[in-house]
Amino acid sequence: MATIFKVSYTYTADPAEWAKAYTEERARSFLDVPGLVWKLWLDEPEQRQSGGLFLFATRADAEAYAASPRGQKAKSNPALSDVRMEIFDVRDEMSRITHGPIPPAVAPINGAA
């Protein structure tokens, strides 16, 4: 079953400076995350909040990422506060009916099963 990993946090940096960290190289670095189908990057500069929604092929993939050093990085970053991490199962069929970006066969972007 497809699974969402959601992370959100508040940052202390100036929003314009914060935005400079969002590079193509940074995005591409997620292409090798095991089981990742897609990632949405979230930002609310007026509130200095940011985060991401990650769709994983399986709950095990999402849990492995959440427990990994990369998944835990936000919790140890002193420039961040109010860090929240959550894992949700996706109701695939209901999401497809409402045009959720759930492919018919959920497959990781790196081609690994």
Side-chain angles (χ1 to χ4, degrees):
M1 172 181 288
T3 303
I4 291 283
F5 170 67
K6 180 178 94 171
V7 61
S8 61
Y9 45 81
T10 302
Y11 56 89
T12 58
D14 173 73
E17 288 299 312
W18 184 258
K20 290 178 182 178
Y22 290 98
T23 64
E24 181 178 339
E25 181 180 334
R26 185 172 178 191
R28 290 190 181 283
S29 75
F30 283 84
L31 295 177
D32 66 352
V33 172
L36 183 65
V37 178
W38 51 250
K39 178 183 179 187
L40 297 177
W41 300 73
L42 309 175
D43 199 34
E44 175 43 66
E46 289 184 20
Q47 300 296 317
R48 294 186 179 190
Q49 295 177 333
S50 195
L53 291 176
F54 302 68
L55 179 69
F56 284 92
T58 68
R59 177 172 272 275
D61 291 330
E63 289 172 345
Y65 178 79
S68 74
R70 187 174 196 175
Q72 291 290 310
K73 190 174 179 181
K75 286 186 174 181
S76 62
N77 186 333
L80 304 180
S81 62
D82 303 319
V83 177
R84 292 187 58 186
M85 297 180 177
E86 301 172 284
I87 294 177
F88 297 90
D89 291 334
V90 175
R91 294 182 184 269
D92 295 358
E93 292 308 313
M94 299 298 289
S95 297
R96 286 188 190 101
I97 290 168
T98 57
H99 304 283
I102 311 298
V106 178
I109 55 179
N110 64 6

